[in-house]
Amino acid sequence: MNETIEFLQLLPDENELGRVKGACLAMPGHSGRKIHGEFTVTDKRILFEGQGGNVAAWRPAFSLPYGEIVDAEACISPKAMRMFVENGGSYCISLSKGRKDLLAYLDKRIPARRPARKPQPGELPRLLICAALAVGLLFISLSDTLASFGTPKDFGDLIDGTVEVGDRVCGDIYYALDYFAIEQSWTERSDGSRTAKKTSAYYYIIPAGDDFAAIEINASKGTSMEKLSEETWEYLMGGDDTVTTVPFDGRVKLLEKEEPDLVSYYEEMMEDFGYTQDELDEMGPVMLLIPRAFNAIRAFCAAGAVFLVIAVFLAVRTFRPARTRKGGAANPEAPWEM
């Protein structure tokens, strides 16, 4: 037979309003282990009796009079809520149902004047993590995401000279000269040897209006691009027009900003084509077409927006100032039902 916890018994002038299953997630002096049990809501206090066997001393419990509660709020979890008490502590509980009703009832019972909220343990780290993730994800994806929803230019626009820095270029490349740089990687071992070089990208020179531009091509398209380059030179020498095309989807940046180390290689290749340094200077900054996986970038941007919303919510809640509830004094007769 279960022993009864004395302070959980109703007082002579106390009326029970309802019972609901739930769990205590945190309370003053509690380690934070989730304790399942039952809540009893009366017209004077909130009672909780946890599961723990037949012996009363083994069952966690609390009695929280409304007069000790100074504020209450919903947590991110759809069934959880937190109640702040006078000494600066708090009770975090989860209800199987009726959270909204209990919060509305507490809003009538606790004082109209609410103190400034103090950050709870773990809230500041969560806020900083969400803010850092939001800033990082949006920083790397927002600009490309906005560009992806605009009308893309194609290679014909590039040939006509109507493409500008920041534009999205999507379509088939049908002219290309030589590559002027290769991006490779390898691993150096402790004994001084190293693994075989792995090529990840080629940088080609392509026509752009009256000038030229650079384009980054993934190594997976290297064979097709090499064939297109050969056909382009044959066409320039009076042969047939090119038949090979290489698909591309990306954005236009500036070579000197994105890959400053490649500017000298680009200029060396252009000098091999017969251009002088003065002529290269007259052409101005060189555009660089960089491939982009826009679907993945949009996903990153969406994730960043979600983390931003969470960070704003946590910031507003964590640093909430003192306030007065609209509606005047507390109403202890307000009904509440489970």
Side-chain angles (χ1 to χ4, degrees):
M1 182 175 180
N2 286 348
E3 295 182 5
T4 302
I5 300 177
E6 184 175 351
F7 67 80
L8 296 181
Q9 296 181 7
L10 296 182
L11 303 174
D13 59 342
E14 187 175 18
N15 298 311
E16 180 179 317
L17 300 179
R19 292 172 179 262
V20 63
K21 297 292 184 180
C24 178
L25 308 178
M27 62 181 179
H30 175 52
S31 62
R33 179 176 59 90
K34 185 177 182 179
I35 303 172
H36 293 277
E38 184 179 58
F39 292 92
T40 301
V41 180
T42 76
D43 57 354
K44 294 184 179 296
R45 53 188 176 152
I46 298 175
L47 309 175
F48 173 74
E49 183 174 9
Q51 300 172 352
N54 296 331
V55 181
W58 295 351
R59 298 196 300 274
F62 67 76
S63 170
L64 183 58
Y66 297 126
E68 296 182 9
I69 304 175
V70 296
D71 204 354
E73 67 181 16
C75 298
I76 296 179
S77 174
K79 296 183 179 181
M81 57 179 284
R82 188 183 298 274
M83 298 174 290
F84 298 90
V85 294
E86 292 177 335
N87 61 4
S90 67
Y91 293 75
C92 186
I93 64 175
S94 177
L95 306 178
S96 62
K97 61 178 182 178
R99 182 187 73 167
K100 181 178 179 181
D101 295 327
L102 181 54
L103 284 170
Y105 182 61
L106 288 176
D107 194 54
K108 306 290 185 179
R109 296 301 308 264
I110 60 183
R113 180 63 179 174
R114 312 290 169 82
R117 187 184 187 280
K118 297 180 179 179
Q120 299 300 302
E123 287 186 335
L124 286 179
R126 285 194 292 269
L127 170 59
L128 294 176
I129 290 173
C130 288
L133 288 172
V135 171
L137 289 171
L138 292 175
F139 177 78
I140 65 175
S141 64
L142 182 58
S143 177
D144 286 336
T145 298
L146 295 176
S148 71
F149 289 110
T151 302
K153 302 291 183 66
D154 59 21
F155 196 69
D157 296 318
L158 184 67
I159 296 294
D160 293 338
T162 59
V163 171
E164 298 178 350
V165 174
D167 288 343
R168 177 185 179 184
V169 176
C170 180
D172 291 333
I173 307 168
Y174 46 84
Y175 292 121
L177 302 178
D178 289 332
Y179 66 83
F180 63 92
I182 303 176
E183 185 176 291
Q184 295 179 320
S185 61
W186 61 87
T187 301
E188 295 186 354
R189 301 188 180 97
S190 58
D191 60 1
S193 63
R194 65 183 184 183
T195 60
K197 295 180 179 180
K198 182 178 180 180
T199 300
S200 57
Y202 296 89
Y203 291 85
Y204 273 82
I205 297 175
I206 57 177
D210 296 330
D211 302 321
F212 298 90
I215 186 170
E216 178 184 340
I217 297 296
N218 293 330
S220 59
K221 301 176 182 178
T223 302
S224 299
M225 199 67 179
E226 183 179 3
K227 185 177 180 181
L228 175 59
S229 175
E230 294 174 355
E231 294 177 2
T232 301
W233 282 111
E234 291 176 1
Y235 173 67
L236 293 176
M237 296 299 178
D240 295 333
D241 202 350
T242 60
V243 295
T244 301
T245 59
V246 179
F248 179 85
D249 192 6
R251 289 195 71 190
V252 181
K253 300 287 186 176
L254 287 178
L255 179 63
E256 62 183 8
K257 289 186 177 180
E258 298 297 318
E259 300 289 349
D261 294 338
L262 300 185
V263 173
S264 60
Y265 297 105
Y266 174 86
E267 292 179 345
E268 288 177 8
M269 179 62 71
M270 293 298 293
E271 289 174 357
D272 290 342
F273 292 162
Y275 289 92
T276 65
Q277 186 61 51
D278 290 339
E279 290 173 328
L280 294 177
D281 293 339
E282 290 178 2
M283 293 181 185
V286 180
M287 293 189 297
L288 172 64
L289 281 68
I290 304 176
R292 288 285 189 261
F294 285 109
N295 288 336
I297 289 173
R298 290 171 184 169
F300 285 140
C301 189
V306 171
F307 280 116
L308 179 61
V309 171
I310 295 175
V312 171
F313 169 78
L314 292 176
V316 171
R317 190 181 69 167
T318 301
F319 300 103
R320 188 176 61 212
R323 68 200 192 284
T324 301
R325 185 192 69 242
K326 296 180 180 180
N331 179 13
E333 303 301 326
W336 181 80
E337 296 179 359
M338 288 292 186

